[in-house]
Amino acid sequence: VQQNLTLKLQAQNLMSFNDLIHRLFHALQQPNAANLIAQVQGVYRAALIDEFQDTDQWQWGIFSALFNHPSHYLFLIGDPKQAIYKFRGADIHAYFTAVEQCQSCYTLDTNWRSQPNLVAAVNQVFGVENPFQVDKLQFQPVKAGVSADPRLAQQPAWHWLTLPAQEDGKPWDKTQSESIIQANLLAEISELLQHQGVQPKQIAII
């Protein structure tokens, strides 16, 4: 299918979004790419790329070739813990490659959106050795920037749903863990409905 798609696009003189990315990347690798780079740099002095964790090696190659120069500015904003678009071609290793080449790295150390008890809970859950099973992806605890809401003290306690340890010590894969997560989630909902005074309409699963 992919081979036929490429042939059909070529026959109709069309390019997909991926074609645009790949062809520009290859063009920037050619010995005579200096003129193309100069043309782009003459129009844009700086580039700011948000959600950078969702890019790939091709896109990073383009950004790096065009703007990773002393005379220009390249700002990359991203959070590798939010890299969820692998199915769409995103490559978390492109993020790590960019980090290694950056002159300066800055990290937000204050959470201004969440309650202190939630911030503390997240810090505790992920404050273990290699929490994401990726050596280059470390968790940095943050502090809460907002005061606790006294009304939340009356809410039911939340429980972190955890999977039992596997005998071989390896992490659960997605297929194996799905049924266990569903069972734990249903048990939590049942507990809320029967003993915590929560109404079905108050429950949302994201």
Side-chain angles (χ1 to χ4, degrees):
V1 171
Q2 184 60 48
Q3 190 173 23
N4 288 339
L5 175 60
T6 300
L7 293 175
K8 286 182 177 295
L9 288 172
Q10 291 176 349
Q12 299 180 47
N13 198 28
L14 298 174
M15 288 190 292
S16 68
F17 286 113
N18 282 337
D19 290 333
L20 294 173
I21 293 173
H22 292 167
R23 293 191 183 189
L24 177 56
F25 172 86
H26 288 299
L28 292 170
Q29 310 307 311
Q30 303 305 312
N32 59 347
N35 184 54
L36 171 60
I37 295 174
Q39 290 291 326
V40 176
Q41 289 182 345
V43 177
Y44 302 102
R45 183 74 187 280
L48 188 152
I49 304 165
D50 198 11
E51 303 293 353
F52 184 75
Q53 74 276 355
D54 296 326
T55 55
D56 56 33
Q57 298 285 356
W58 305 93
Q59 293 166 321
W60 168 239
I62 293 171
F63 303 142
S64 178
L66 292 175
F67 297 106
N68 195 14
H69 293 271
S71 59
H72 285 69
Y73 301 93
L74 178 59
F75 299 94
L76 311 174
I77 301 94
D79 180 359
K81 300 187 299 300
Q82 298 183 46
I84 60 174
Y85 286 102
K86 182 179 180 180
F87 70 93
R88 205 176 62 187
D91 183 2
I92 187 62
H93 297 287
Y95 177 95
F96 296 140
T97 299
V99 169
E100 294 172 355
Q101 298 181 24
C102 284
Q103 296 179 351
S104 302
C105 294
Y106 303 93
T107 300
L108 299 177
D109 63 356
T110 304
N111 183 324
W112 295 95
R113 302 172 65 181
S114 304
Q115 292 292 309
N117 56 348
L118 178 58
V119 174
V122 171
N123 286 341
Q124 182 173 353
V125 168
F126 292 103
V128 297
E129 183 179 356
N130 199 6
F132 305 106
Q133 304 299 309
V134 178
D135 292 337
K136 292 184 178 180
L137 180 51
Q138 299 299 318
F139 176 76
Q140 178 173 326
V142 299
K143 56 181 180 289
V146 298
S147 301
D149 187 339
R151 295 173 298 177
L152 296 180
Q154 306 302 320
Q155 299 297 321
W158 289 93
H159 304 281
W160 289 100
L161 305 180
T162 58
L163 298 177
Q166 290 205 97
E167 293 182 359
D168 57 8
K170 295 182 179 179
W172 290 88
D173 63 35
K174 187 163 53 177
T175 302
Q176 292 174 309
S177 61
E178 188 173 282
S179 60
I180 299 176
I181 292 175
Q182 289 177 351
N184 285 349
L185 185 60
L186 291 174
E188 176 76 3
I189 292 174
S190 178
E191 170 68 18
L192 291 172
L193 294 176
Q194 295 182 47
H195 305 293
Q196 300 290 350
V198 176
Q199 300 297 316
K201 65 181 180 180
Q202 296 174 303
I203 296 176
I205 301 175
I206 300 178

